Amino acid sequence: MAVPTITAQDVRIVYKTLKSMTIRNSLLSFRPGRMELFEAVHPMSFETYEGDVVGIIGKNGSGKSTLLRAVSGIFSPDSGTLNTYQNTVSLMALGVGFRPDLTGRENIFLSGLLLGYRESQIREKLQEIIEFSELGDFIDRPVRTYSSGMFSKLAFSISAIMEPDILLIDEVFSVGDAKFKKKSYQKIKMLLEERVKTAMVVSHNMDTLRKLCNRVLWIHEGTLRADGPTEEVISAYEAESAEGK
């Protein structure tokens, strides 16, 4: 019997934004700017099971990253429910979750604690994370001094080495130099084959998704357009993209 790992039921996510206006008009009006609502994810339902590697495709701004952040617990849906069945969940995404004034080493502990691991468990993995990141002495410098490549390497290393139950991957296959990219891909492949219960992978690289995923969600303008076998959904997406729709 298939064991569920993520259940999303009518999940809806709304952003609140201020309507743009010039600084001069804002100062002279003496009124706060008008709040506008943007529905990033329309009511959406899906379920994943142990062993699933689910690709997520769609144009930029379609709601893919927003959905992953909701599954990871960074923010809650405005309506509907998300259940991860007490599994540990890690979002592997660039620019998420670090405190810039803390060192790389301190951010490893912070990230691990936020994932729900005990300090002793993080210490067991600490040296492996540092070595995988290839940051050397920079591991004891503030993250705000890192280049984008160094930042990305650390983010990837923490999520990969801590081995959560559910791994959420948001466009990280371009991390670092060619050598690190190859090492990263092999590490993710190993995790998906041997350790992780479920993964959700956002990527614009269809070849990568074809190699890794057993099914794909196609999100279009915040709506779940299709959910099915990898080749079937990707082929439909590519055909529509070729038509310029």
Side-chain angles (χ1 to χ4, degrees), residues 87-92 112 115 117 121-122 124-125 128-129 132 155-168 187-188 190-192 194-198:
N87 288 303
T88 56
V89 183
S90 179
L91 173 61
M92 189 183 291
L115 286 173
Y117 293 99
Q121 292 175 304
I122 302 168
E124 288 177 5
K125 298 283 189 177
E128 188 178 356
I129 293 170
F132 194 94
F156 182 95
S157 300
I158 293 170
S159 294
I161 303 302
M162 291 308 296
E163 298 176 358
D165 297 322
I166 298 172
L167 182 60
L168 310 176
K187 180 64 176 178
I188 287 178
M190 182 276 288
L191 287 173
L192 299 183
E194 301 177 10
R195 307 289 179 84
V196 176
K197 291 181 180 178
T198 296

PDB file of all heavy atoms in Angstrom, residues 87-92 112 115 117 121-122 124-125 128-129 132 155-168 187-188 190-192 194-198:
ATOM      1  N   ASN A  87       7.069  14.371   8.545  1.00  0.00           N
ATOM      2  CA  ASN A  87       8.346  14.135   7.887  1.00  0.00           C
ATOM      3  C   ASN A  87       9.223  15.384   7.988  1.00  0.00           C
ATOM      4  O   ASN A  87       8.719  16.504   8.019  1.00  0.00           O
ATOM      5  CB  ASN A  87       8.137  13.806   6.404  1.00  0.00           C
ATOM      6  CG  ASN A  87       7.547  12.427   6.190  1.00  0.00           C
ATOM      7  OD1 ASN A  87       8.095  11.434   6.632  1.00  0.00           O
ATOM      8  ND2 ASN A  87       6.408  12.374   5.513  1.00  0.00           N
ATOM      9  N   THR A  88      10.544  15.205   8.044  1.00  0.00           N
ATOM     10  CA  THR A  88      11.441  16.353   7.966  1.00  0.00           C
ATOM     11  C   THR A  88      11.472  16.829   6.511  1.00  0.00           C
ATOM     12  O   THR A  88      11.540  16.029   5.581  1.00  0.00           O
ATOM     13  CB  THR A  88      12.873  15.998   8.413  1.00  0.00           C
ATOM     14  OG1 THR A  88      13.364  14.908   7.623  1.00  0.00           O
ATOM     15  CG2 THR A  88      12.893  15.617   9.886  1.00  0.00           C
ATOM     16  N   VAL A  89      11.403  18.154   6.340  1.00  0.00           N
ATOM     17  CA  VAL A  89      11.311  18.747   5.004  1.00  0.00           C
ATOM     18  C   VAL A  89      12.413  19.776   4.845  1.00  0.00           C
ATOM     19  O   VAL A  89      12.602  20.639   5.706  1.00  0.00           O
ATOM     20  CB  VAL A  89       9.936  19.427   4.780  1.00  0.00           C
ATOM     21  CG1 VAL A  89       9.845  19.963   3.356  1.00  0.00           C
ATOM     22  CG2 VAL A  89       8.799  18.461   5.069  1.00  0.00           C
ATOM     23  N   SER A  90      13.152  19.701   3.738  1.00  0.00           N
ATOM     24  CA  SER A  90      14.203  20.676   3.474  1.00  0.00           C
ATOM     25  C   SER A  90      14.011  21.276   2.088  1.00  0.00           C
ATOM     26  O   SER A  90      13.834  20.555   1.108  1.00  0.00           O
ATOM     27  CB  SER A  90      15.587  20.026   3.554  1.00  0.00           C
ATOM     28  OG  SER A  90      16.586  20.980   3.277  1.00  0.00           O
ATOM     29  N   LEU A  91      14.046  22.617   2.039  1.00  0.00           N
ATOM     30  CA  LEU A  91      13.973  23.326   0.768  1.00  0.00           C
ATOM     31  C   LEU A  91      15.383  23.665   0.313  1.00  0.00           C
ATOM     32  O   LEU A  91      16.090  24.429   0.981  1.00  0.00           O
ATOM     33  CB  LEU A  91      13.144  24.606   0.911  1.00  0.00           C
ATOM     34  CG  LEU A  91      13.127  25.532  -0.306  1.00  0.00           C
ATOM     35  CD1 LEU A  91      12.527  24.829  -1.515  1.00  0.00           C
ATOM     36  CD2 LEU A  91      12.340  26.811   0.013  1.00  0.00           C
ATOM     37  N   MET A  92      15.794  23.095  -0.805  1.00  0.00           N
ATOM     38  CA  MET A  92      17.093  23.375  -1.386  1.00  0.00           C
ATOM     39  C   MET A  92      16.888  24.450  -2.443  1.00  0.00           C
ATOM     40  O   MET A  92      16.515  24.170  -3.588  1.00  0.00           O
ATOM     41  CB  MET A  92      17.677  22.105  -2.002  1.00  0.00           C
ATOM     42  CG  MET A  92      19.119  22.232  -2.438  1.00  0.00           C
ATOM     43  SD  MET A  92      19.707  20.709  -3.233  1.00  0.00           S
ATOM     44  CE  MET A  92      19.735  19.577  -1.841  1.00  0.00           C
ATOM     45  N   GLY A 112      20.055  23.517  10.381  1.00  0.00           N
ATOM     46  CA  GLY A 112      19.765  22.181  10.903  1.00  0.00           C
ATOM     47  C   GLY A 112      18.702  22.196  11.980  1.00  0.00           C
ATOM     48  O   GLY A 112      17.804  21.349  12.004  1.00  0.00           O
ATOM     49  N   LEU A 115      15.348  22.694  10.572  1.00  0.00           N
ATOM     50  CA  LEU A 115      14.854  21.468   9.938  1.00  0.00           C
ATOM     51  C   LEU A 115      14.324  20.462  10.961  1.00  0.00           C
ATOM     52  O   LEU A 115      13.721  19.459  10.591  1.00  0.00           O
ATOM     53  CB  LEU A 115      15.968  20.809   9.120  1.00  0.00           C
ATOM     54  CG  LEU A 115      16.342  21.469   7.797  1.00  0.00           C
ATOM     55  CD1 LEU A 115      17.575  20.806   7.204  1.00  0.00           C
ATOM     56  CD2 LEU A 115      15.176  21.399   6.826  1.00  0.00           C
ATOM     57  N   TYR A 117      16.402  19.038  13.455  1.00  0.00           N
ATOM     58  CA  TYR A 117      17.444  18.144  13.948  1.00  0.00           C
ATOM     59  C   TYR A 117      17.998  18.642  15.285  1.00  0.00           C
ATOM     60  O   TYR A 117      18.017  19.846  15.557  1.00  0.00           O
ATOM     61  CB  TYR A 117      18.591  18.041  12.929  1.00  0.00           C
ATOM     62  CG  TYR A 117      18.191  17.359  11.650  1.00  0.00           C
ATOM     63  CD1 TYR A 117      17.871  18.101  10.514  1.00  0.00           C
ATOM     64  CD2 TYR A 117      18.128  15.966  11.567  1.00  0.00           C
ATOM     65  CE1 TYR A 117      17.495  17.476   9.333  1.00  0.00           C
ATOM     66  CE2 TYR A 117      17.763  15.342  10.389  1.00  0.00           C
ATOM     67  CZ  TYR A 117      17.437  16.103   9.277  1.00  0.00           C
ATOM     68  OH  TYR A 117      17.060  15.481   8.112  1.00  0.00           O
ATOM     69  N   GLN A 121      22.965  15.837  16.333  1.00  0.00           N
ATOM     70  CA  GLN A 121      22.857  15.292  14.981  1.00  0.00           C
ATOM     71  C   GLN A 121      23.564  16.194  13.968  1.00  0.00           C
ATOM     72  O   GLN A 121      24.197  15.699  13.030  1.00  0.00           O
ATOM     73  CB  GLN A 121      21.376  15.134  14.595  1.00  0.00           C
ATOM     74  CG  GLN A 121      20.648  14.065  15.392  1.00  0.00           C
ATOM     75  CD  GLN A 121      19.176  14.035  15.064  1.00  0.00           C
ATOM     76  OE1 GLN A 121      18.467  15.050  15.181  1.00  0.00           O
ATOM     77  NE2 GLN A 121      18.683  12.878  14.634  1.00  0.00           N
ATOM     78  N   ILE A 122      23.442  17.505  14.180  1.00  0.00           N
ATOM     79  CA  ILE A 122      24.098  18.453  13.273  1.00  0.00           C
ATOM     80  C   ILE A 122      25.618  18.335  13.400  1.00  0.00           C
ATOM     81  O   ILE A 122      26.342  18.350  12.402  1.00  0.00           O
ATOM     82  CB  ILE A 122      23.639  19.895  13.571  1.00  0.00           C
ATOM     83  CG1 ILE A 122      22.113  20.008  13.433  1.00  0.00           C
ATOM     84  CG2 ILE A 122      24.327  20.887  12.638  1.00  0.00           C
ATOM     85  CD1 ILE A 122      21.543  21.296  13.970  1.00  0.00           C
ATOM     86  N   GLU A 124      27.316  15.771  14.122  1.00  0.00           N
ATOM     87  CA  GLU A 124      27.759  14.547  13.455  1.00  0.00           C
ATOM     88  C   GLU A 124      27.967  14.759  11.958  1.00  0.00           C
ATOM     89  O   GLU A 124      28.816  14.124  11.333  1.00  0.00           O
ATOM     90  CB  GLU A 124      26.734  13.433  13.674  1.00  0.00           C
ATOM     91  CG  GLU A 124      26.698  12.883  15.099  1.00  0.00           C
ATOM     92  CD  GLU A 124      25.610  11.841  15.273  1.00  0.00           C
ATOM     93  OE1 GLU A 124      24.959  11.487  14.260  1.00  0.00           O
ATOM     94  OE2 GLU A 124      25.400  11.381  16.414  1.00  0.00           O
ATOM     95  N   LYS A 125      27.190  15.658  11.373  1.00  0.00           N
ATOM     96  CA  LYS A 125      27.236  15.903   9.931  1.00  0.00           C
ATOM     97  C   LYS A 125      28.070  17.124   9.571  1.00  0.00           C
ATOM     98  O   LYS A 125      28.316  17.382   8.380  1.00  0.00           O
ATOM     99  CB  LYS A 125      25.806  16.114   9.402  1.00  0.00           C
ATOM    100  CG  LYS A 125      24.879  14.933   9.571  1.00  0.00           C
ATOM    101  CD  LYS A 125      25.154  13.862   8.537  1.00  0.00           C
ATOM    102  CE  LYS A 125      24.096  12.768   8.561  1.00  0.00           C
ATOM    103  NZ  LYS A 125      24.332  11.760   7.503  1.00  0.00           N
ATOM    104  N   GLU A 128      31.274  16.849   7.335  1.00  0.00           N
ATOM    105  CA  GLU A 128      30.907  16.383   6.002  1.00  0.00           C
ATOM    106  C   GLU A 128      30.305  17.513   5.178  1.00  0.00           C
ATOM    107  O   GLU A 128      30.592  17.652   3.980  1.00  0.00           O
ATOM    108  CB  GLU A 128      29.927  15.212   6.110  1.00  0.00           C
ATOM    109  CG  GLU A 128      29.631  14.538   4.774  1.00  0.00           C
ATOM    110  CD  GLU A 128      28.691  13.353   4.918  1.00  0.00           C
ATOM    111  OE1 GLU A 128      28.323  13.007   6.055  1.00  0.00           O
ATOM    112  OE2 GLU A 128      28.335  12.785   3.873  1.00  0.00           O
ATOM    113  N   ILE A 129      29.466  18.339   5.824  1.00  0.00           N
ATOM    114  CA  ILE A 129      28.869  19.492   5.140  1.00  0.00           C
ATOM    115  C   ILE A 129      29.952  20.472   4.702  1.00  0.00           C
ATOM    116  O   ILE A 129      29.959  20.956   3.566  1.00  0.00           O
ATOM    117  CB  ILE A 129      27.848  20.198   6.056  1.00  0.00           C
ATOM    118  CG1 ILE A 129      26.637  19.298   6.299  1.00  0.00           C
ATOM    119  CG2 ILE A 129      27.398  21.534   5.445  1.00  0.00           C
ATOM    120  CD1 ILE A 129      25.693  19.809   7.367  1.00  0.00           C
ATOM    121  N   PHE A 132      32.023  19.046   1.828  1.00  0.00           N
ATOM    122  CA  PHE A 132      31.276  18.991   0.570  1.00  0.00           C
ATOM    123  C   PHE A 132      31.142  20.383  -0.042  1.00  0.00           C
ATOM    124  O   PHE A 132      31.171  20.551  -1.258  1.00  0.00           O
ATOM    125  CB  PHE A 132      29.884  18.392   0.807  1.00  0.00           C
ATOM    126  CG  PHE A 132      29.171  17.985  -0.459  1.00  0.00           C
ATOM    127  CD1 PHE A 132      29.247  16.683  -0.922  1.00  0.00           C
ATOM    128  CD2 PHE A 132      28.428  18.906  -1.186  1.00  0.00           C
ATOM    129  CE1 PHE A 132      28.597  16.303  -2.087  1.00  0.00           C
ATOM    130  CE2 PHE A 132      27.779  18.539  -2.351  1.00  0.00           C
ATOM    131  CZ  PHE A 132      27.867  17.231  -2.812  1.00  0.00           C
ATOM    132  N   ALA A 155      24.324  26.343   0.797  1.00  0.00           N
ATOM    133  CA  ALA A 155      22.907  25.988   0.856  1.00  0.00           C
ATOM    134  C   ALA A 155      22.688  24.565   0.354  1.00  0.00           C
ATOM    135  O   ALA A 155      21.955  23.768   0.964  1.00  0.00           O
ATOM    136  CB  ALA A 155      22.086  26.972   0.028  1.00  0.00           C
ATOM    137  N   PHE A 156      23.327  24.236  -0.748  1.00  0.00           N
ATOM    138  CA  PHE A 156      23.187  22.897  -1.310  1.00  0.00           C
ATOM    139  C   PHE A 156      23.729  21.855  -0.345  1.00  0.00           C
ATOM    140  O   PHE A 156      23.086  20.826  -0.099  1.00  0.00           O
ATOM    141  CB  PHE A 156      23.929  22.806  -2.642  1.00  0.00           C
ATOM    142  CG  PHE A 156      23.794  21.470  -3.307  1.00  0.00           C
ATOM    143  CD1 PHE A 156      22.828  21.261  -4.267  1.00  0.00           C
ATOM    144  CD2 PHE A 156      24.617  20.408  -2.956  1.00  0.00           C
ATOM    145  CE1 PHE A 156      22.679  20.017  -4.865  1.00  0.00           C
ATOM    146  CE2 PHE A 156      24.482  19.170  -3.549  1.00  0.00           C
ATOM    147  CZ  PHE A 156      23.510  18.972  -4.508  1.00  0.00           C
ATOM    148  N   SER A 157      24.904  22.105   0.206  1.00  0.00           N
ATOM    149  CA  SER A 157      25.579  21.116   1.053  1.00  0.00           C
ATOM    150  C   SER A 157      24.768  20.791   2.302  1.00  0.00           C
ATOM    151  O   SER A 157      24.672  19.629   2.708  1.00  0.00           O
ATOM    152  CB  SER A 157      26.971  21.620   1.442  1.00  0.00           C
ATOM    153  OG  SER A 157      27.748  21.847   0.291  1.00  0.00           O
ATOM    154  N   ILE A 158      24.174  21.806   2.924  1.00  0.00           N
ATOM    155  CA  ILE A 158      23.377  21.577   4.135  1.00  0.00           C
ATOM    156  C   ILE A 158      22.201  20.660   3.837  1.00  0.00           C
ATOM    157  O   ILE A 158      21.978  19.652   4.517  1.00  0.00           O
ATOM    158  CB  ILE A 158      22.891  22.912   4.730  1.00  0.00           C
ATOM    159  CG1 ILE A 158      24.082  23.724   5.245  1.00  0.00           C
ATOM    160  CG2 ILE A 158      21.894  22.663   5.863  1.00  0.00           C
ATOM    161  CD1 ILE A 158      23.717  25.147   5.634  1.00  0.00           C
ATOM    162  N   SER A 159      21.433  20.995   2.802  1.00  0.00           N
ATOM    163  CA  SER A 159      20.253  20.199   2.480  1.00  0.00           C
ATOM    164  C   SER A 159      20.619  18.784   2.051  1.00  0.00           C
ATOM    165  O   SER A 159      19.960  17.815   2.426  1.00  0.00           O
ATOM    166  CB  SER A 159      19.457  20.882   1.357  1.00  0.00           C
ATOM    167  OG  SER A 159      18.920  22.107   1.786  1.00  0.00           O
ATOM    168  N   ALA A 160      21.698  18.657   1.275  1.00  0.00           N
ATOM    169  CA  ALA A 160      22.067  17.339   0.750  1.00  0.00           C
ATOM    170  C   ALA A 160      22.609  16.415   1.829  1.00  0.00           C
ATOM    171  O   ALA A 160      22.272  15.227   1.876  1.00  0.00           O
ATOM    172  CB  ALA A 160      23.101  17.505  -0.365  1.00  0.00           C
ATOM    173  N   ILE A 161      23.444  16.944   2.714  1.00  0.00           N
ATOM    174  CA  ILE A 161      24.100  16.098   3.712  1.00  0.00           C
ATOM    175  C   ILE A 161      23.172  15.765   4.887  1.00  0.00           C
ATOM    176  O   ILE A 161      23.262  14.678   5.473  1.00  0.00           O
ATOM    177  CB  ILE A 161      25.395  16.756   4.233  1.00  0.00           C
ATOM    178  CG1 ILE A 161      26.350  17.043   3.067  1.00  0.00           C
ATOM    179  CG2 ILE A 161      26.084  15.878   5.265  1.00  0.00           C
ATOM    180  CD1 ILE A 161      26.741  15.833   2.249  1.00  0.00           C
ATOM    181  N   MET A 162      22.254  16.669   5.248  1.00  0.00           N
ATOM    182  CA  MET A 162      21.346  16.402   6.372  1.00  0.00           C
ATOM    183  C   MET A 162      20.296  15.343   6.034  1.00  0.00           C
ATOM    184  O   MET A 162      19.681  14.765   6.907  1.00  0.00           O
ATOM    185  CB  MET A 162      20.661  17.689   6.831  1.00  0.00           C
ATOM    186  CG  MET A 162      21.594  18.691   7.512  1.00  0.00           C
ATOM    187  SD  MET A 162      22.579  18.017   8.875  1.00  0.00           S
ATOM    188  CE  MET A 162      21.327  17.561  10.069  1.00  0.00           C
ATOM    189  N   GLU A 163      20.081  15.086   4.739  1.00  0.00           N
ATOM    190  CA  GLU A 163      19.221  13.992   4.277  1.00  0.00           C
ATOM    191  C   GLU A 163      17.824  14.009   4.916  1.00  0.00           C
ATOM    192  O   GLU A 163      17.466  13.128   5.698  1.00  0.00           O
ATOM    193  CB  GLU A 163      19.900  12.647   4.524  1.00  0.00           C
ATOM    194  CG  GLU A 163      21.204  12.480   3.776  1.00  0.00           C
ATOM    195  CD  GLU A 163      21.915  11.179   4.093  1.00  0.00           C
ATOM    196  OE1 GLU A 163      21.402  10.418   4.940  1.00  0.00           O
ATOM    197  OE2 GLU A 163      22.968  10.922   3.503  1.00  0.00           O
ATOM    198  N   PRO A 164      17.000  14.985   4.558  1.00  0.00           N
ATOM    199  CA  PRO A 164      15.631  15.039   5.086  1.00  0.00           C
ATOM    200  C   PRO A 164      14.762  13.945   4.477  1.00  0.00           C
ATOM    201  O   PRO A 164      15.150  13.299   3.491  1.00  0.00           O
ATOM    202  CB  PRO A 164      15.152  16.429   4.626  1.00  0.00           C
ATOM    203  CG  PRO A 164      15.906  16.644   3.346  1.00  0.00           C
ATOM    204  CD  PRO A 164      17.265  16.050   3.584  1.00  0.00           C
ATOM    205  N   ASP A 165      13.582  13.747   5.051  1.00  0.00           N
ATOM    206  CA  ASP A 165      12.632  12.778   4.485  1.00  0.00           C
ATOM    207  C   ASP A 165      12.088  13.273   3.150  1.00  0.00           C
ATOM    208  O   ASP A 165      11.919  12.498   2.208  1.00  0.00           O
ATOM    209  CB  ASP A 165      11.460  12.555   5.448  1.00  0.00           C
ATOM    210  CG  ASP A 165      11.891  11.958   6.769  1.00  0.00           C
ATOM    211  OD1 ASP A 165      12.797  11.103   6.755  1.00  0.00           O
ATOM    212  OD2 ASP A 165      11.341  12.354   7.812  1.00  0.00           O
ATOM    213  N   ILE A 166      11.780  14.587   3.106  1.00  0.00           N
ATOM    214  CA  ILE A 166      11.219  15.198   1.900  1.00  0.00           C
ATOM    215  C   ILE A 166      12.178  16.292   1.444  1.00  0.00           C
ATOM    216  O   ILE A 166      12.492  17.216   2.195  1.00  0.00           O
ATOM    217  CB  ILE A 166       9.829  15.803   2.162  1.00  0.00           C
ATOM    218  CG1 ILE A 166       8.841  14.702   2.582  1.00  0.00           C
ATOM    219  CG2 ILE A 166       9.313  16.528   0.924  1.00  0.00           C
ATOM    220  CD1 ILE A 166       7.488  15.222   3.037  1.00  0.00           C
ATOM    221  N   LEU A 167      12.651  16.187   0.214  1.00  0.00           N
ATOM    222  CA  LEU A 167      13.607  17.142  -0.328  1.00  0.00           C
ATOM    223  C   LEU A 167      12.925  17.961  -1.419  1.00  0.00           C
ATOM    224  O   LEU A 167      12.408  17.421  -2.393  1.00  0.00           O
ATOM    225  CB  LEU A 167      14.815  16.404  -0.905  1.00  0.00           C
ATOM    226  CG  LEU A 167      15.948  17.259  -1.478  1.00  0.00           C
ATOM    227  CD1 LEU A 167      16.522  18.183  -0.412  1.00  0.00           C
ATOM    228  CD2 LEU A 167      17.039  16.369  -2.051  1.00  0.00           C
ATOM    229  N   LEU A 168      12.934  19.274  -1.237  1.00  0.00           N
ATOM    230  CA  LEU A 168      12.360  20.199  -2.208  1.00  0.00           C
ATOM    231  C   LEU A 168      13.506  20.919  -2.908  1.00  0.00           C
ATOM    232  O   LEU A 168      14.325  21.569  -2.256  1.00  0.00           O
ATOM    233  CB  LEU A 168      11.442  21.208  -1.514  1.00  0.00           C
ATOM    234  CG  LEU A 168      10.394  20.618  -0.560  1.00  0.00           C
ATOM    235  CD1 LEU A 168       9.617  21.723   0.131  1.00  0.00           C
ATOM    236  CD2 LEU A 168       9.445  19.682  -1.308  1.00  0.00           C
ATOM    237  N   LYS A 187      25.075  13.636  -6.130  1.00  0.00           N
ATOM    238  CA  LYS A 187      24.596  13.557  -4.747  1.00  0.00           C
ATOM    239  C   LYS A 187      23.076  13.523  -4.708  1.00  0.00           C
ATOM    240  O   LYS A 187      22.483  12.713  -3.979  1.00  0.00           O
ATOM    241  CB  LYS A 187      25.111  14.759  -3.950  1.00  0.00           C
ATOM    242  CG  LYS A 187      24.676  14.769  -2.484  1.00  0.00           C
ATOM    243  CD  LYS A 187      25.248  13.596  -1.713  1.00  0.00           C
ATOM    244  CE  LYS A 187      24.895  13.675  -0.240  1.00  0.00           C
ATOM    245  NZ  LYS A 187      25.403  12.515   0.524  1.00  0.00           N
ATOM    246  N   ILE A 188      22.427  14.380  -5.476  1.00  0.00           N
ATOM    247  CA  ILE A 188      20.964  14.383  -5.519  1.00  0.00           C
ATOM    248  C   ILE A 188      20.456  13.049  -6.054  1.00  0.00           C
ATOM    249  O   ILE A 188      19.494  12.472  -5.525  1.00  0.00           O
ATOM    250  CB  ILE A 188      20.450  15.545  -6.391  1.00  0.00           C
ATOM    251  CG1 ILE A 188      20.654  16.871  -5.660  1.00  0.00           C
ATOM    252  CG2 ILE A 188      18.973  15.358  -6.732  1.00  0.00           C
ATOM    253  CD1 ILE A 188      20.226  18.078  -6.446  1.00  0.00           C
ATOM    254  N   MET A 190      21.837  10.130  -5.837  1.00  0.00           N
ATOM    255  CA  MET A 190      21.996   9.129  -4.790  1.00  0.00           C
ATOM    256  C   MET A 190      20.918   9.275  -3.725  1.00  0.00           C
ATOM    257  O   MET A 190      20.318   8.285  -3.283  1.00  0.00           O
ATOM    258  CB  MET A 190      23.389   9.248  -4.160  1.00  0.00           C
ATOM    259  CG  MET A 190      23.699   8.202  -3.080  1.00  0.00           C
ATOM    260  SD  MET A 190      23.078   8.623  -1.433  1.00  0.00           S
ATOM    261  CE  MET A 190      24.204   9.954  -1.000  1.00  0.00           C
ATOM    262  N   LEU A 191      20.643  10.516  -3.315  1.00  0.00           N
ATOM    263  CA  LEU A 191      19.620  10.749  -2.290  1.00  0.00           C
ATOM    264  C   LEU A 191      18.255  10.262  -2.758  1.00  0.00           C
ATOM    265  O   LEU A 191      17.514   9.633  -1.999  1.00  0.00           O
ATOM    266  CB  LEU A 191      19.546  12.247  -1.960  1.00  0.00           C
ATOM    267  CG  LEU A 191      20.693  12.841  -1.135  1.00  0.00           C
ATOM    268  CD1 LEU A 191      20.545  14.353  -1.050  1.00  0.00           C
ATOM    269  CD2 LEU A 191      20.742  12.231   0.249  1.00  0.00           C
ATOM    270  N   LEU A 192      17.941  10.539  -4.010  1.00  0.00           N
ATOM    271  CA  LEU A 192      16.636  10.151  -4.531  1.00  0.00           C
ATOM    272  C   LEU A 192      16.511   8.636  -4.662  1.00  0.00           C
ATOM    273  O   LEU A 192      15.427   8.076  -4.504  1.00  0.00           O
ATOM    274  CB  LEU A 192      16.394  10.813  -5.889  1.00  0.00           C
ATOM    275  CG  LEU A 192      16.375  12.343  -5.888  1.00  0.00           C
ATOM    276  CD1 LEU A 192      16.043  12.869  -7.284  1.00  0.00           C
ATOM    277  CD2 LEU A 192      15.382  12.889  -4.876  1.00  0.00           C
ATOM    278  N   GLU A 194      18.261   6.338  -2.773  1.00  0.00           N
ATOM    279  CA  GLU A 194      18.539   5.543  -1.572  1.00  0.00           C
ATOM    280  C   GLU A 194      17.975   6.099  -0.265  1.00  0.00           C
ATOM    281  O   GLU A 194      17.701   5.330   0.655  1.00  0.00           O
ATOM    282  CB  GLU A 194      20.064   5.396  -1.412  1.00  0.00           C
ATOM    283  CG  GLU A 194      20.747   4.728  -2.583  1.00  0.00           C
ATOM    284  CD  GLU A 194      22.250   4.680  -2.405  1.00  0.00           C
ATOM    285  OE1 GLU A 194      22.716   4.985  -1.294  1.00  0.00           O
ATOM    286  OE2 GLU A 194      22.951   4.331  -3.364  1.00  0.00           O
ATOM    287  N   ARG A 195      17.828   7.410  -0.148  1.00  0.00           N
ATOM    288  CA  ARG A 195      17.572   7.976   1.179  1.00  0.00           C
ATOM    289  C   ARG A 195      16.239   8.715   1.314  1.00  0.00           C
ATOM    290  O   ARG A 195      15.499   8.498   2.265  1.00  0.00           O
ATOM    291  CB  ARG A 195      18.704   8.948   1.553  1.00  0.00           C
ATOM    292  CG  ARG A 195      20.097   8.351   1.446  1.00  0.00           C
ATOM    293  CD  ARG A 195      20.372   7.322   2.528  1.00  0.00           C
ATOM    294  NE  ARG A 195      21.694   6.735   2.405  1.00  0.00           N
ATOM    295  CZ  ARG A 195      22.806   7.277   2.888  1.00  0.00           C
ATOM    296  NH1 ARG A 195      22.752   8.421   3.535  1.00  0.00           N
ATOM    297  NH2 ARG A 195      23.960   6.675   2.726  1.00  0.00           N
ATOM    298  N   VAL A 196      15.963   9.616   0.389  1.00  0.00           N
ATOM    299  CA  VAL A 196      14.828  10.516   0.540  1.00  0.00           C
ATOM    300  C   VAL A 196      13.516   9.796   0.218  1.00  0.00           C
ATOM    301  O   VAL A 196      13.431   9.052  -0.757  1.00  0.00           O
ATOM    302  CB  VAL A 196      14.999  11.746  -0.386  1.00  0.00           C
ATOM    303  CG1 VAL A 196      13.784  12.648  -0.332  1.00  0.00           C
ATOM    304  CG2 VAL A 196      16.248  12.521   0.026  1.00  0.00           C
ATOM    305  N   LYS A 197      12.498  10.010   1.066  1.00  0.00           N
ATOM    306  CA  LYS A 197      11.199   9.381   0.815  1.00  0.00           C
ATOM    307  C   LYS A 197      10.526   9.962  -0.416  1.00  0.00           C
ATOM    308  O   LYS A 197       9.953   9.251  -1.235  1.00  0.00           O
ATOM    309  CB  LYS A 197      10.289   9.577   2.030  1.00  0.00           C
ATOM    310  CG  LYS A 197      10.704   8.816   3.274  1.00  0.00           C
ATOM    311  CD  LYS A 197       9.717   9.081   4.402  1.00  0.00           C
ATOM    312  CE  LYS A 197      10.105   8.337   5.670  1.00  0.00           C
ATOM    313  NZ  LYS A 197       9.164   8.645   6.788  1.00  0.00           N
ATOM    314  N   THR A 198      10.597  11.301  -0.533  1.00  0.00           N
ATOM    315  CA  THR A 198       9.912  12.003  -1.615  1.00  0.00           C
ATOM    316  C   THR A 198      10.715  13.242  -1.983  1.00  0.00           C
ATOM    317  O   THR A 198      11.320  13.870  -1.115  1.00  0.00           O
ATOM    318  CB  THR A 198       8.490  12.433  -1.190  1.00  0.00           C
ATOM    319  OG1 THR A 198       7.702  11.273  -0.945  1.00  0.00           O
ATOM    320  CG2 THR A 198       7.809  13.274  -2.266  1.00  0.00           C
TER     321      THR A 198
END
